[in-house]
Amino acid sequence: MLRFWTLEAGPWTLNMNAAVAPARRPIQTPPIPDSPFPYHPGSLLSVDDLALDEVSRILERATALDREDPLQRARILAKRRVALLFYESSTRTRTSFELAAKSLGADTTLISSLSSSIEKGESLKDTGLTIKALGAETIILRHNSSGAPWLLEEATRLPILNAGDGMHEHPTQALLDLRTILAHFDPQSRSCHPELSKNRHPERSRSAAQNGEVEGSAFPIVHVTADTLAGVTVTIVGDIQHSRVARSNMRLLPRLGGRVVLCGPPQLLPEIATQTGPGVSIERDFEAALRQSTVVMMLRIQAERLAGLQLDLDEYQAGYQLTGERLREFAPRALVLHPGPIIRGLELTAGVADGPQSAIVEQVRHGVAIRMAVVERALGAIPQKDRL
Amino acid sequence: MTAILIRNGHLVDPAAGVDAKKDILLKNGRVAEIAGPGKGKQANGAQGEEWTVLDASGLIVAPGLVDMHVHLREPGQSYKETIATGTAAAAAGGFTAVAAMPNTNPVNDSPETTRWMQTPERGAAVRVFPIAAATRGSKGEALNDYAALKAAGAVAVTDDGLPILKDNVMREALAAAARAGLSVIQHAEDTRLTNGGCMNLGPTSFKLGLRGMPPEAESSLVERDIRLVADLRDSRAHLHVAHISTAAALAAVRQARRNGLRVTCEVTPHHFLLTEEHVGKYNTHAKMNPPLRSAADRDAMIEGILDGVVDAIATDHAPHAAHEKQVEFERAPNGMTGLETALGLCLRWLHQEWKLPLGRVLSLLSAQPAALLNLKGRGTLAVGSFADVVVFDPKAEWVFRARDSKSKSRNTPFDGWTMQGKVRWTISEGRIAYASE
Ligand SMILES: [Zn+2]
């Protein structure tokens, strides 16, 4: 880093008044050291760790595994040991990872702070080392502290899959969101078609694959580049400040050429959010944001959090709830996503959640496919390209 | 007591205005004579005395360094550091005097603890000057008896680790300390604004999903304290701002000085070298309070050092056991060790890279902090001063390895960094406290 400033060559005593002719001088400051992370190539700690061809590879494997015959699939990681270490309750993510690992044939074990199998007072490092000693080959970690997966990876040197750390990241959620978006994406019109999901149902695709058909543009894009999402605007709405889903999507989507618009009140969306990287902007007016949106991603709102920030729930809903009227008027073609769990009648209405523009249930299905791909990647079982 | 003759070295003593080749004779714990090489009358005329002769050819001889901000963890937390290990690290770093902060267990808020820390049984390698708590238990409420603490050896008062938050308590502390002839050292952090924060508030904290401590939490308290000093103008109140880290707070100090107020400040090497980016992937060795700030703040620290508004470099040496730092970032304790890296970093960056004259670098590390704490006869090698000396090779480049540290703890972000200037001998009151192999 090289920068300039005016150097007042002053006396070194406490006398501040002596003025000396200023001289401009270049100043070199110490470099930021390179990160040693991830230690393991199979780890998925942050979406930042994935080069675009790795993202493509994961999408590709997700599709291939999704279509694979379940009996064949169960041989891929037969008897391999996968540990799920959950410091927060999460039915959705935990079940999704568990089903993904099991459908590849792996043995899974759940260590959860809620079932009190995590020793009281034991550090994350020691818990990780114990799990490793028990034979786990990879650990899927959900933790309430930002950065916990880095600590666990450094301590165990196992491939670590970040299943959500504090307010930081949730990489598999961003990947499944991407897969959902791509499933509805029409590269010609640069837009998403909510109805596309119907004729891209996996059942149809599987039969197509079994018939040896080449799907062409009909099936979700699996090869992504820096302009795959050019012209696509994804609006993320709600409690951005506390959302790891938002942070992972904000990092991933702009790298594919997408635009991320953040929307929410200042208490939940500080101005500095836009300085985290390129392709991210803030639009506080929900309706103006909706007008630009190809995809609307609604985040869960915790009523307790609003109360803590002295935000009035009614006022919040008046400003940011996704209703059928809003959607019809301002974003009649946008795809509606939500990482779940949804609270009907809070951040969005039941009508929107169940409506034709919603891909919320479909996201869950994409989640299992993505997680199969990352668990397979973690255990290094990814076959060569020609095996596909 | 054995006499020590340091021969053929280049003496840099900014307080005495010396920058020349000199021999220096130390006797009975004091500087006995300074003369041109081979010219010392006492040195030449000495008969039958026990001599230690140190050949300092090609080396710099300077007043022993003074660190006005260290945590030696005794009493109460000797698993992190003891006075013996902390001062051994100090000696290895060229320091001959360290001012020990009172956030021990119990808090050093009594003359008894203040004296206990200075007893020979502690095994200190260099002189320890306790800084006592400003308030009872450092709770920010009732003032301690400053005259009694000073009589016991305290050189300043502070609640470091915590701020003195209440206006009336801080005003009283400044006034009472002035009456006792002590400064009040403020850990400037408005904890009502930093609540729950574990790094600097900014784009990086947002990205990492960590709660941030706003720079205003420091600057607003410094501004408040300066207003109190201004109100107390006639009382000779002296406010010293510990580990200043933000451009705004430094600007406030600069303005206060232009207004003729007794407001001084120190900067740590990590705050003039590192930024919040060095937190990297949740490196707990880069977690401290005040936190590493933005590049603009870091640059302001460099500027403040170069233009003279910064009065001292202090390390805020804060050892922690390895297991305490190997935890989730938000749960890790604040602080890093610093005694063995300060000189090497100051010479490497302040002197070599940013061209601050050697005399000014050394002054920031010895004469100025000694003056701020009123340590008579230290921070200079004028004849009659304490025989506190550091002898170092200014040309030697070396790599600091935390595992080789003399401290009990290893928590430093400077592990593996290149240092400039290697300490050859550290002499504390006429005794060799450290000699490199
Ligand atoms: Zn402090």
Side-chain angles (χ1 to χ4, degrees):
Chain A
M1 251 173 279
L2 207 60
R3 46 175 80 74
F4 292 83
W5 66 61
T6 303
L7 170 71
E8 279 179 57
W12 49 265
T13 55
L14 306 188
N15 175 13
M16 276 304 300
N17 296 322
V20 177
R24 283 182 82 79
R25 174 189 288 179
I27 293 292
Q28 186 79 33
T29 52
I32 317 283
D34 289 335
S35 169
F37 293 99
Y39 287 98
H40 197 289
S43 284
L44 179 53
L45 305 173
S46 161
V47 292
D48 288 350
D49 300 337
L50 297 173
L52 287 186
D53 58 350
E54 284 181 277
V55 174
S56 299
R57 187 76 182 136
I58 289 169
L59 292 170
E60 205 173 278
R61 287 303 297 160
T63 298
L65 290 167
D66 197 23
R67 289 181 192 167
E68 181 71 270
D69 170 65
L71 290 174
Q72 290 294 326
R73 197 164 60 193
R75 292 197 188 124
I76 296 174
L77 295 179
K79 305 314 278 180
R80 304 288 297 271
R81 291 174 179 177
V82 174
L84 295 106
L85 179 54
F86 274 60
Y87 285 80
E88 283 181 345
S89 58
S90 155
T91 313
R92 176 178 305 249
T93 305
R94 197 203 69 221
T95 313
S96 178
F97 265 113
E98 211 167 350
L99 287 175
K102 286 202 162 109
S103 50
L104 298 176
D107 285 344
T108 64
T109 179
L110 172 69
I111 304 101
S112 142
S113 58
L114 301 169
S115 65
S116 79
S117 50
I118 293 172
E119 297 293 333
K120 271 212 168 58
E122 187 179 59
S123 71
L124 176 59
K125 174 183 166 164
D126 288 322
T127 303
L129 290 175
T130 304
I131 293 171
K132 183 183 184 180
L134 288 168
E137 298 170 82
T138 180
I139 303 175
I140 298 162
L141 177 68
R142 161 66 65 95
H143 201 284
N144 45 352
S145 284
S146 299
W150 280 260
L151 173 67
L152 187 64
E153 200 207 26
E154 185 160 45
T156 63
R157 303 296 168 103
L158 287 175
I160 304 298
L161 301 179
N162 183 356
D165 65 317
M167 315 191 292
H168 182 227
E169 276 222 47
H170 196 351
T172 55
Q173 179 71 44
L175 290 167
L176 77 88
D177 290 340
L178 173 63
R179 187 167 197 259
T180 310
I181 293 168
L182 292 175
H184 293 266
F185 186 59
D186 173 16
Q188 266 70 52
S189 64
R190 316 301 302 166
S191 59
C192 278
H193 299 288
E195 64 279 9
L196 264 185
S197 63
K198 313 292 181 285
N199 39 23
R200 285 181 180 177
H201 195 272
E203 291 311 318
R204 191 191 118 97
S205 310
R206 184 179 297 153
S207 61
Q210 281 161 355
N211 297 340
E213 284 172 33
V214 179
E215 288 255 325
S217 65
F219 200 77
I221 298 165
V222 291
H223 186 72
V224 293
T225 63
D227 56 8
T228 298
L229 293 181
V232 172
T233 298
V234 178
T235 299
I236 309 179
V237 188
D239 187 358
I240 311 290
Q241 166 71 27
H242 300 96
S243 174
R244 49 196 172 211
V245 175
R247 281 181 182 75
S248 282
N249 274 294
M250 284 163 67
R251 292 170 131 99
L252 181 63
L253 300 176
R255 289 173 55 211
L256 279 70
R259 229 180 109 227
V260 170
V261 172
L262 304 173
C263 183
Q267 295 95 321
L268 300 176
L269 170 54
E271 282 295 324
I272 46 173
T274 57
Q275 293 173 44
T276 54
V280 179
S281 57
I282 289 179
E283 173 53 69
R284 303 243 179 235
D285 183 286
F286 187 27
E287 290 166 4
L290 283 176
R291 264 196 215 100
Q292 314 167 37
S293 303
T294 323
V295 177
V296 187
M297 189 181 294
M298 301 303 296
L299 300 177
R300 183 165 66 113
I301 279 295
Q302 288 172 277
E304 322 83 72
R305 190 158 274 155
L306 293 184
L309 293 165
Q310 269 107 49
L311 267 172
D312 184 70
L313 183 58
D314 290 340
E315 230 173 275
Y316 178 81
Q317 288 183 317
Y320 299 101
Q321 189 186 54
L322 187 60
T323 61
E325 297 84 75
R326 275 189 167 133
L327 203 56
R328 264 194 303 283
E329 190 171 350
F330 302 107
R333 302 192 50 76
L335 190 68
V336 175
L337 303 183
H338 192 304
I342 61 169
I343 303 175
R344 288 163 188 262
L346 218 165
E347 64 270 12
L348 79 179
T349 60
V352 169
D354 300 330
Q357 286 174 259
S358 166
I360 297 173
V361 176
E362 199 189 323
Q363 281 174 279
V364 177
R365 208 194 67 227
H366 288 301
V368 178
I370 286 291
R371 286 169 183 134
M372 283 194 285
V374 302
V375 171
E376 181 191 55
R377 177 177 175 270
L379 292 178
I382 303 181
Q384 291 308 299
K385 243 192 157 82
D386 54 12
R387 250 203 62 186
L388 253 181
Chain B
M1 191 175 272
T2 317
I4 298 177
L5 176 65
I6 306 170
R7 275 202 322 217
N8 299 321
H10 189 105
L11 177 62
V12 178
D13 182 356
V18 180
D19 185 346
K21 270 213 153 45
K22 297 283 181 192
D23 286 355
I24 170 164
L25 179 68
L26 311 173
K27 264 167 83 173
N28 302 320
R30 298 276 178 165
V31 177
E33 183 178 48
I34 293 185
K39 299 264 169 53
K41 287 199 184 73
Q42 289 188 52
N44 290 331
Q47 300 289 327
E49 282 188 68
E50 245 190 287
W51 285 103
T52 302
V53 179
L54 305 179
D55 181 7
S57 305
L59 307 180
I60 299 286
V61 180
L65 309 183
V66 177
D67 191 344
M68 64 184 298
H69 194 143
V70 303
H71 299 270
L72 297 180
R73 306 300 188 205
E74 249 189 332
Q77 295 178 309
S78 53
Y79 67 97
K80 295 178 197 254
E81 192 81 287
T82 63
I83 288 173
T85 58
T87 52
F95 290 91
T96 54
V98 292
M101 288 297 169
N103 62 339
T104 46
N105 188 13
V107 167
N108 175 20
D109 58 3
S110 69
E112 292 71 42
T113 307
T114 301
R115 276 191 216 98
W116 180 89
M117 290 169 69
Q118 300 169 86
T119 51
E121 291 73 38
R122 300 287 78 73
V126 301
R127 274 302 296 266
V128 174
F129 294 95
I131 293 177
T135 66
R136 192 91 24 87
S138 282
K139 293 193 191 316
E141 301 284 347
L143 297 194
N144 293 320
D145 181 347
Y146 296 166
L149 290 166
K150 188 183 184 186
V155 292
V157 293
T158 186
D159 281 350
D160 186 50
L162 296 164
I164 304 167
L165 217 46
K166 290 187 174 167
D167 295 0
N168 59 330
V169 176
M170 186 61 179
R171 185 183 297 111
E172 287 303 308
L174 284 163
R179 287 193 295 275
L182 296 173
S183 58
V184 177
I185 300 177
Q186 176 73 298
H187 166 109
E189 174 194 357
D190 189 334
T191 45
R192 293 162 300 197
L193 299 177
T194 56
N195 193 21
C198 57
M199 72 173 293
N200 187 45
L201 178 71
T204 310
S205 68
F206 182 87
K207 249 195 251 185
L208 291 173
L210 294 171
R211 286 171 211 283
M213 306 164 85
E216 298 75 40
E218 176 175 284
S219 55
S220 65
L221 206 58
V222 169
E223 284 157 11
R224 191 279 313 257
D225 289 345
I226 289 170
R227 282 196 298 277
L228 295 176
V229 173
D231 290 348
L232 293 164
R233 193 147 206 169
D234 303 329
S235 72
R236 299 282 294 152
H238 176 190
L239 168 72
H240 178 78
V241 183
H243 43 53
I244 202 164
S245 65
T246 61
L250 195 64
V253 170
R254 194 187 300 268
Q255 191 53 49
R257 286 261 275 286
R258 289 198 173 124
N259 296 342
L261 300 177
R262 288 186 86 196
V263 176
T264 57
C265 66
E266 73 200 22
V267 173
T268 66
H270 48 279
H271 285 116
F272 72 72
L273 289 172
L274 308 180
T275 67
E276 55 199 348
E277 296 286 321
H278 285 85
V279 170
K281 293 298 183 193
Y282 306 92
N283 179 5
T284 57
H285 288 168
K287 181 181 177 186
M288 57 278 293
N289 187 8
L292 299 176
R293 302 285 188 183
S294 67
D297 285 318
R298 185 266 316 271
D299 292 354
M301 297 307 112
I302 301 172
E303 193 175 7
I305 292 168
L306 298 183
D307 75 11
V309 70
V310 171
D311 301 282
I313 307 283
T315 66
D316 196 3
H317 177 82
H320 291 290
H323 72 267
E324 294 176 299
K325 282 287 195 179
Q326 286 170 358
V327 296
E328 296 84 342
F329 191 86
E330 59 192 14
R331 291 183 52 210
N334 289 307
M336 51 169 278
T337 59
L339 284 162
E340 288 160 278
T341 46
L343 178 64
L345 291 169
C346 286
L347 293 175
R348 165 74 186 82
W349 292 96
L350 290 177
H351 179 52
Q352 186 174 286
E353 191 71 41
W354 303 324
K355 310 299 177 203
L356 189 67
L358 183 60
R360 281 185 58 198
V361 175
L362 294 175
S363 180
L364 284 162
L365 284 162
S366 55
Q368 287 171 248
L372 291 173
L373 296 176
N374 239 324
L375 307 181
K376 298 262 160 24
R378 300 186 198 265
T380 177
L381 291 174
V383 171
S385 309
F386 286 100
D388 284 356
V389 189
V390 60
V391 182
F392 62 92
D393 178 355
K395 298 211 173 60
E397 231 179 52
W398 58 288
V399 173
F400 173 73
R401 297 288 173 207
R403 60 167 186 268
D404 299 332
S405 175
K406 303 266 188 255
S407 167
K408 256 196 184 180
S409 295
R410 305 279 181 269
N411 51 305
T412 166
F414 294 124
D415 189 18
W417 279 49
T418 300
M419 305 280 146
Q420 181 74 35
K422 195 143 183 50
V423 175
R424 181 74 188 85
W425 293 288
T426 302
I427 299 166
S428 170
E429 297 183 0
R431 273 178 316 100
I432 295 179
Y434 171 82
S436 69
E437 299 78 39

